[in-house]
Amino acid sequence: MVSGVIKVDHLLTQMAADLATLIKARQLDNPIMIGIHTGGVWLAEHLHQQLAIESPLGTLDISFYRDDFSRAGLNPKVQPSALPCATEDRHIILVDDVIMSGRTIRAAMNELFDYGRPASITLVTLLDLNRRELPIQADVTGDTLQLADDELVKLTGPVPLALEIRKKDNL
């Protein structure tokens, strides 16, 4: 990938196929799909529809669960989490746009466990930046991306969904 804007339709199509195969292989009966605000929700909406998952789509805003909350302060766009049904003993498909350090996913799992103990959590991410600080890996990934130290990637959307790669000073 090069700097600029990249559409993600082809990645979503492949992710849906990979996720369908994984759901079947793991025999995940009636899973709940949950997207992490904001980009993860956009991706989850597409995957939820493509896979025709019966349970309603859920959303998480992990702002209060972040481990940098005291340093970074409150995200000005905090939204409520909305889990449409009980998570206790349910198979959860957790969707986020980018996995980098693993800290966002850790925060999401902390919040999920406050709602109950799921039977399993399957992690789906559009991009893996391979900069892990915690031992958390995605089960389904659209692509792996190596960025320069001065670059950032951002999912824009919701329509159309695209990836923007920018220099840090251009934000």
Side-chain angles (χ1 to χ4, degrees):
M1 291 185 190
V2 295
S3 291
V5 177
I6 300 123
K7 293 188 179 184
V8 300
D9 295 341
H10 65 287
L11 294 176
L12 274 171
T13 300
Q14 184 59 50
M15 289 169 62
D18 293 348
L19 185 53
T21 299
L22 188 104
I23 289 169
K24 184 176 180 181
R26 291 186 181 171
Q27 299 176 0
L28 303 180
D29 185 41
N30 194 25
I32 303 169
M33 184 172 283
I34 299 171
I36 300 173
H37 278 293
T38 298
V41 173
W42 296 338
L43 296 168
E45 288 169 345
H46 286 272
L47 294 170
H48 190 266
Q49 181 180 12
Q50 287 180 359
L51 296 171
I53 292 178
E54 293 177 19
S55 294
L57 180 65
T59 62
L60 279 183
D61 187 321
I62 53 98
S63 295
F64 294 114
Y65 287 81
R66 295 186 56 87
D67 60 8
D68 62 355
F69 177 75
S70 61
R71 281 185 293 174
L74 183 61
N75 179 343
K77 297 179 182 176
V78 172
Q79 300 177 26
S81 294
L83 300 182
C85 52
T87 59
E88 187 76 27
D89 292 323
R90 296 287 303 271
H91 297 286
I92 293 176
I93 300 169
L94 183 61
V95 183
D96 200 12
D97 52 355
V98 177
I99 184 170
M100 187 172 75
S101 66
R103 292 181 181 277
T104 296
I105 304 307
R106 184 219 37 93
M109 289 192 302
N110 284 353
E111 183 170 355
L112 284 172
F113 275 84
D114 281 352
Y115 287 95
R117 186 179 186 274
S120 70
I121 299 175
T122 299
L123 179 58
V124 177
T125 62
L126 180 65
L127 288 179
D128 186 341
L129 298 184
N130 281 324
R131 293 184 181 172
R132 223 62 90 241
E133 296 172 4
L134 301 174
I136 296 173
Q137 300 298 321
D139 297 289
V140 173
T141 303
D143 202 357
T144 301
L145 181 62
Q146 299 297 322
L147 295 177
D149 290 339
D150 66 341
E151 289 181 319
L152 293 172
V153 63
K154 180 169 179 58
L155 181 66
T156 61
V159 177
L161 284 174
L163 291 167
E164 288 185 2
I165 300 172
R166 304 184 226 171
K167 298 289 185 187
K168 285 184 181 178
D169 58 314
N170 291 341
L171 291 175

